[in-house]
Amino acid sequence: MPLSILINGSRGRMGHALADAAKEMGVTIGGAVDLGDDIAAGLAHSDVVVDFSSHQATRSVLELAVANHRAVVLGTTGHAAEEKKQLLALAAHVPCVWAGNFSVGVNLLFALTRRAANVLGSDYDAEVVEMHHRFKKDAPSGTAARLLEIILEERNLTASALRHGREGIVGERTPTEVGIHALRGGDVVGDHTVLFAALGERIELTHKASDRGIFARGALRAAQWVVHQKPGVYDMQDVLGLK
Ligand code: NAD
């Protein structure tokens, strides 16, 4: 039996990319809903809810999945930290893959960033630069947020170390700060660069997405994987065996 998914956010950019990827990968679309539609309607014919909509929809998507014992693939970004903490507790009741970026290349970038932060140590100043299309509503991107989390984890720092852009007389860079810069414009699907700069050398790890099909194909790969898992929250590192 082919996997069947319910797409929430079906009229959006990712909704369309998911429909194309499903055709390509032999995944059935059991339901496709968007803002104002009854999401419960398509659930009966779907094994997994795939949500790429708005952060305001996440709670109701998860509540519905928990009540109906459905697995979830959650790609929506833009949740506040406290909001995300509560949602993670709810998501843990079903098999759920939650990832700020479903691309295989970006997930390798996560693994390489962890390794680089670990090997290079705090003498190398870490900064993250991201660029997305002019329509993107949240900043920094979910992917940049994850890259920052990885750097903070490896350096035993908290979110107070983050510097969101710089303006005015900010003084010399302190060794513990981690900069994040969000560029917006045009139709850029998603660029992320992690820089580690020391006196005398600089390493830049860059990923550039040119087609949002990579996120859709990754999300469907996650959907095919998550239906065989126990309840719990997983990420793409789990799906790809990168942990
Ligand atoms: P979009 O604005 O093109 O589409 C969002 C769709 O969701 C719209 O059709 C909108 O009507 C619908 N929507 C809004 N609120 C809703 C609700 N409460 N219930 C149901 N549908 C609702 O945006 P997009 O580019 O498709 O991105 C959607 C989300 O996915 C964003 O949060 C984006 O950051 C995220 N995203 C994640 C990844 C990833 O790999 N994790 C990749 C791309 C985009």
Side-chain angles (χ1 to χ4, degrees), residues 28-49:
T28 302
I29 298 177
V33 293
D34 202 280
L35 192 61
D37 297 337
D38 177 14
I39 179 174
L43 205 61
H45 312 289
S46 310
D47 309 304
V48 187
V49 182

Side-chain angles (χ1 to χ4, degrees), residues 8-9 11-14 34-35 52-54 57 75-77 99-102 136-138 215:
N8 190 42
R11 290 196 282 275
R13 284 175 288 262
M14 278 304 297
D34 202 280
L35 192 61
F52 284 76
S53 60
S54 151
T76 301
T77 64
N101 193 309
F102 279 93
K136 186 163 178 62
K137 295 174 187 73
D138 54 312
F215 309 125

